[in-house]
Amino acid sequence: MSAASPEGDLAIHTHRLTKAFGQRKVVHGLDLAVPYGSVFGFLGPNGSGKTTTIRMLLGLAAPTSGSITVLGRPMPSAALEVLPGVGALVEGPAFYPFLSGRANLMRLDAANRRADPATRARRVDRALDTVGLGRAARLAVHAYSLGMKQRLGIANALAVRHQLLVLDEPTNGLDPQGTREVRSLIASLAGQGTTVFVSSHLLGEIEQMCTHAAVMSAGNRVAQGTLAELRSGGAGRVRVNTPDGPAARAVLAGLGLAPEDGAGAGTLAEGGDDAVVRAPLAAGAPEPERIVAALVDAGVRVRGFAVERPSLEERFVELTGEGFDVAQ
Amino acid sequence: MLPNSGAPHRAGSRGGLLASELALVFRRRRTWAMLLALGAVPVLIALAVRLTSGPPAGRGPAFLDRVAGNGLFVALVGMLVSIPLFLPLTVAVVAGDTIAGEAGNGTLRYLLLAPASRARLLLIKYAAAAAFCVAATAMVALCGVGIGLLLFPAGPVALLSGDTIPLGESFLRLGLVTAYAAVSLLGLAAVGLFVSTLTDVPVGAMAATAVLSVAAQIMGQLPQLDWLHPWLFTEHWMGFADLLRQPVLWDSFGENAALQAGYVLLFGGLAWARFATKDILS
């Protein structure tokens, strides 16, 4: 994982951040380091503490212990200086249903003392156009679909130019086009130098738009780093296609590897009499070329050999557990 | 004007958060329904008196027997009838909704992220609730004057002290009574603001506030609680008779204002203590 960076390079930095509701620890000793200019994916299954963490980052909830620095200032104590630089979408959009989309944004902009009232109408209209709501701007929000509300929530985060965007599940409820638009929007904002902190339980989303990510599981951060670091973090495996299954297993075991048993291990591949033998590449395992040499030396007929790296999805499941139950 | 039916309205295009908040309260259909209901109170009284021969002197609400002789008394009787229940009920709805309504709606977090400071938000919310107190009492008075002048003769008014004042000054006195009633409701609005910081369910805060205003009035009726009476925010609610003497006796106005100010400070402080550190999880 990435080495600890000096605080000055980090848009968000938390140290041993913990939040407990009564006895229940929702976030446990979280260390986050979000570099300026990154698109940082905050990944984790439902109930893993993502939204609670975001609430603390934005000063909506106070940490039980630990410290938070956002844009170089402590949170929540410096919230009024920090928040004008932060655009946010937290736990879904929320609006006054009887006001129009435009009126909703005007009200929230009026709440921001640093936002210039003279340019308010222009900035709000531009933000509405950016998310494709220009034509629905004067419709009451109760007539909006979930996806339109989501777009309006994103427009709210865009009405003022921010240094940092915190987007909690930004593509929730969006149709495929909307999802793609959000992704390209995030990319273009990042291209202009905005740091984007985006939470999601959708791995594909993170994989497609992020430069960095952290993975949460049951209130703990189980991984953090650049996407490349995260992918390589998991143990690779060697795969040998050979008609001499037992011999290959013996050679691998002799090299200190532990060939896998059970389904798929040593079974016949389709359309041939080759067995497929797999063994995880633990730290300290011999280089792949030495494994091949050893196999060939031992007379194993190697018909296929590969080093398999886990996909991010496999890593994600590996880190957060496979179960469907919401973590408690 | 009833907004919300067709075209959605705009709130605060140039003004600050206070302007936006006032627009939010006063362009809401619910607010207008409450104001219209309050306005209906003197109208019903006037119609009842006009369509019947009127009650014998000394029965019914105070001043009711004077209505037929002078239309201005419609406003006074309307105020008198509305103070114990109708006015506090509407104020409880608006004040109970202040913070809990935003929390229940989820908009509280976005206001705080805008960012509006918690102190500023609390002050603005209270200011809008106070503005509603003024609007609600003014509605009763204005509708009372309107229907009274329409259905009954108008002229110099005989005061409680026996003096008679000209019509112009009567309007002034009526304005004083309206101001007195509005001030009376400020303490309740502060109580509602505090209750509103305790929950994310606006209806709960509204009901609790309304119950408190009724409970305070009931306690005010129990002689066993004499020691408590001077501290009840409802204690001076019906005490505006001094404004109808010549010259005006300001004592009850002052006492009431001081009591309400105390409630505003106490419950405003409690609301701040609660809201300043509250985790916004809605």
Side-chain angles (χ1 to χ4, degrees):
Chain A
M1 299 293 120
S2 63
S5 317
E7 196 127 303
D9 298 342
L10 297 176
I12 299 174
H13 180 80
T14 72
H15 181 64
R16 304 196 58 73
L17 182 61
T18 299
K19 181 68 181 181
F21 294 112
Q23 290 295 306
R24 206 160 62 88
K25 276 194 177 165
V26 180
V27 176
H28 193 95
L30 176 63
D31 291 329
L32 277 181
V34 179
Y36 275 112
S38 63
V39 178
F40 193 99
F42 194 42
L43 201 56
N46 297 327
S48 56
K50 299 190 300 292
T51 298
T52 304
T53 302
I54 287 174
R55 284 179 189 281
M56 288 192 284
L57 294 180
L58 297 173
L60 291 173
T64 306
S65 65
S67 67
I68 306 169
T69 312
V70 176
L71 300 178
R73 306 291 305 272
M75 287 295 275
S77 54
L80 289 178
E81 288 87 65
V82 170
L83 290 177
V86 183
L89 177 71
V90 187
E91 185 138 58
F95 295 102
Y96 307 90
F98 48 88
L99 290 183
S100 72
R102 187 171 185 274
N104 266 289
L105 296 199
M106 297 291 260
R107 172 170 165 82
L108 289 172
D109 198 71
N112 179 2
R113 277 185 144 163
R114 305 227 183 143
D116 180 7
T119 60
R120 181 169 299 151
R122 203 171 65 231
R123 286 183 289 106
V124 163
D125 288 336
R126 202 179 46 209
L128 286 165
D129 285 336
T130 306
V131 299
L133 280 180
R135 290 166 71 186
R138 300 191 184 258
L139 208 62
V141 167
H142 66 68
Y144 278 28
S145 69
L146 176 63
M148 287 165 80
K149 286 181 192 157
Q150 190 74 14
R151 286 164 186 254
L152 190 60
I154 295 170
N156 174 48
L158 300 178
V160 178
R161 199 135 147 55
H162 295 297
Q163 263 184 287
L164 170 66
L165 276 182
V166 176
L167 302 174
D168 189 10
E169 309 274 359
T171 58
N172 218 4
L174 289 183
D175 48 29
Q177 297 97 304
T179 307
R180 214 164 58 197
E181 283 165 31
V182 166
R183 273 205 303 269
S184 75
L185 184 65
I186 288 176
S188 84
L189 288 167
Q192 295 161 38
T194 308
T195 307
V196 185
F197 182 88
V198 52
S199 91
S200 182
H201 60 274
L202 298 176
L203 195 101
E205 201 167 77
I206 298 284
E207 202 160 15
Q208 288 183 59
M209 61 189 173
C210 293
T211 58
H212 295 66
V215 182
M216 294 286 285
S217 175
N220 293 289
R221 192 208 74 196
V222 289
Q224 173 171 254
T226 65
L227 235 47
E229 285 171 329
L230 283 177
R231 281 204 194 90
S232 64
R237 291 189 301 187
V238 292
R239 191 196 71 223
V240 184
N241 295 40
T242 173
D244 308 318
R249 296 170 67 82
V251 172
L252 291 175
L255 288 169
L257 301 176
E260 289 167 7
D261 300 321
T267 52
L268 294 179
E270 309 102 48
D273 54 358
D274 290 1
V276 177
V277 179
R278 285 194 172 86
L281 272 176
E287 292 83 38
E289 61 274 19
R290 286 197 41 221
I291 299 175
V292 182
L295 286 166
V296 174
D297 284 349
V300 175
R301 289 170 287 169
V302 177
R303 290 182 175 163
F305 182 88
V307 177
E308 293 178 335
R309 288 287 170 200
S311 70
L312 202 54
E313 185 171 345
E314 284 169 315
R315 273 294 281 155
F316 181 60
V317 171
E318 188 184 312
L319 288 166
T320 60
E322 212 117 17
F324 191 66
D325 287 339
V326 171
Q328 281 300 318
Chain B
M1 180 198 67
L2 283 182
N4 188 13
S5 38
H9 46 269
R10 307 158 60 194
S13 55
R14 283 299 284 273
L17 187 55
L18 180 60
S20 163
E21 186 63 36
L22 289 172
L24 194 72
V25 170
F26 285 103
R27 302 181 81 168
R28 239 181 136 156
R29 197 193 288 189
R30 184 179 73 196
T31 307
W32 278 98
M34 293 194 299
L35 289 176
L36 288 177
L38 284 170
V41 170
V43 172
L44 286 177
I45 292 170
L47 287 176
V49 172
R50 190 80 180 96
L51 298 177
T52 63
S53 54
R59 284 189 48 200
F63 309 116
L64 188 59
D65 51 343
R66 321 259 296 258
V67 164
N70 192 329
L72 279 191
F73 279 97
V74 175
L76 201 57
V77 176
M79 197 69 81
L80 209 61
V81 169
S82 304
I83 281 178
L85 187 61
F86 294 136
L87 279 169
L89 209 58
T90 57
V91 170
V93 168
V94 172
D97 195 44
T98 46
I99 299 296
E102 299 280 359
N105 204 15
T107 38
L108 181 57
R109 61 176 182 269
Y110 287 109
L111 285 173
L112 293 177
L113 290 176
S117 80
R118 296 188 182 204
R120 179 162 153 252
L121 190 60
L122 215 50
L123 279 174
I124 282 171
K125 284 287 177 187
Y126 184 73
F132 178 81
C133 294
V134 173
T137 49
M139 188 74 181
V140 175
L142 289 175
C143 287
V145 168
I147 192 77
L149 295 182
L150 199 67
L151 297 183
F152 303 104
V157 172
L159 292 176
L160 294 176
S161 54
D163 303 88
T164 301
I165 54 169
L167 189 61
E169 199 188 333
S170 324
F171 280 116
L172 206 65
R173 295 297 180 100
L174 193 60
L176 279 180
V177 169
T178 308
Y180 185 97
V183 168
S184 293
L185 295 168
L186 292 180
L188 178 64
V191 171
L193 181 74
F194 169 59
V195 174
S196 195
T197 60
L198 300 178
T199 172
D200 295 344
V201 185
V203 177
M206 295 173 193
T209 309
V211 165
L212 282 173
S213 90
V214 173
Q217 291 182 76
I218 292 173
M219 285 192 283
Q221 307 271 319
L222 299 177
Q224 289 83 353
L225 297 176
D226 265 346
W227 53 271
L228 184 65
H229 291 176
W231 304 103
L232 294 172
F233 61 90
T234 51
E235 176 65 4
H236 301 290
W237 274 12
M238 306 301 278
F240 52 75
D242 285 354
L243 299 173
L244 304 175
R245 296 179 204 283
Q246 186 77 314
V248 174
L249 288 177
W250 289 99
D251 297 15
S252 53
F253 197 107
E255 279 171 35
N256 185 34
L259 180 68
Q260 301 300 331
Y263 266 91
V264 171
L265 286 179
L266 176 65
F267 281 89
L270 286 173
W272 166 245
R274 167 71 180 150
F275 189 53
T277 56
K278 187 185 185 186
D279 278 353
I280 308 302
L281 302 174
S282 58

